[in-house]
Amino acid sequence: MRVLVIDTALGLCTAGVFEVQDGRVRPLGLRSEAMTKGHSERLGGLARDAVAEAGGFDAIDRIAVTVGPGSFTGLRVGLSFAQGLGAALDRPVIGVSTLDALAASVEATTVAALIDARRGQVYARFWRDGLADGPPEALSLEQAADRIAALGEGAALVGTGAPLLAEAAPGLSVSDLPGAAPEAIARLAASLNPTEAPPSPLYLRAPDATPPTRLPGQPRAATPA
């Protein structure tokens, strides 16, 4: 199976084509750049070049896109691009959790996947012996530290939030990845049922933006004397 991976959820803008067979993943074409903004300007070109290196769009069987949690703007860019391309090619589009993909990016089976959510929080999901220990959550650093301590020895912390909890877990492996390994995204997407993994954004917290208090050109309200 050939999977086109699109990932703009965190600090990378990635497009890659991978051959997935019997759990083995072989890269056929990959383009990835570190960035936290500007994904919309770069994604199309990166995808074009990666697919051209892999032999063209006709051989692609499905499209995988990270659905979050992550940057609101980045997620919208990746999801819109993947869904538009899926409609044009008549290929299924698979939504892959950013946290699941981060956990699949490391060798450990007991894992805390952590994304820096700012404001003293992380987006987190935990695995014990390869099995998910609950759904994705938005946790305070204190709550996350308690959950990590309960994982015990041999656990791995992975993601942009991992360094924030490193002191709470001395001796544990810490992988400060700016984004999930594209090979991990491809492997997960190949194993998922398209009907059970729609490309729908996963938001664990409301956006920080607030609506404007006045329309453009509208005068400001008078300040009371």
Side-chain angles (χ1 to χ4, degrees):
M1 177 186 295
R2 288 197 177 190
V3 182
L4 170 60
V5 168
I6 302 296
D7 179 25
T8 56
L10 297 173
L12 298 175
C13 185
T14 297
V17 181
F18 297 86
E19 183 78 34
V20 184
Q21 186 173 14
D22 298 328
R24 296 188 298 272
V25 181
R26 181 168 65 97
L28 303 177
L30 177 62
R31 299 291 186 275
S32 185
E33 295 181 4
M35 64 179 68
T36 55
K37 60 177 64 176
H39 299 88
S40 59
E41 289 81 6
R42 294 294 296 136
L43 180 57
L46 297 178
R48 175 200 61 210
D49 294 344
V51 172
E53 184 177 331
F57 286 101
D58 290 343
I60 291 172
D61 296 301
R62 58 177 53 181
I63 299 167
V65 60
T66 45
V67 298
S71 159
F72 282 88
T73 302
L75 287 176
R76 288 195 295 270
V77 169
L79 285 164
S80 297
F81 185 88
Q83 289 174 306
L85 192 58
L89 299 176
D90 192 25
R91 299 292 194 276
V93 180
I94 313 298
V96 177
S97 160
T98 312
L99 290 168
D100 290 3
L102 282 169
S105 300
V106 295
E107 295 293 333
T109 57
T110 299
V111 182
L114 305 161
I115 296 172
D116 185 0
R118 314 292 183 185
R119 298 191 296 187
Q121 287 187 314
V122 290
Y123 302 132
R125 196 175 191 190
F126 304 90
W127 284 260
R128 293 175 183 271
D129 300 322
L131 299 176
D133 186 16
E137 301 173 85
L139 301 175
S140 69
L141 295 181
E142 292 77 12
Q143 290 172 321
D146 290 341
R147 296 286 297 277
I148 290 168
L151 292 177
E153 297 181 0
L157 313 186
V158 59
T160 59
L164 301 177
L165 279 306
E167 291 186 5
L172 297 188
S173 168
V174 177
S175 299
D176 182 12
L177 298 182
E183 295 85 352
I185 300 171
R187 186 183 300 108
L188 289 174
S191 69
L192 293 171
N193 185 330
T195 62
E196 298 175 357
S200 302
L202 173 61
Y203 298 134
L204 298 180
R205 192 173 71 190
D208 295 331
T210 57
T213 57
R214 60 190 179 90
L215 297 174
Q218 186 178 33
R220 296 180 183 275
T223 303

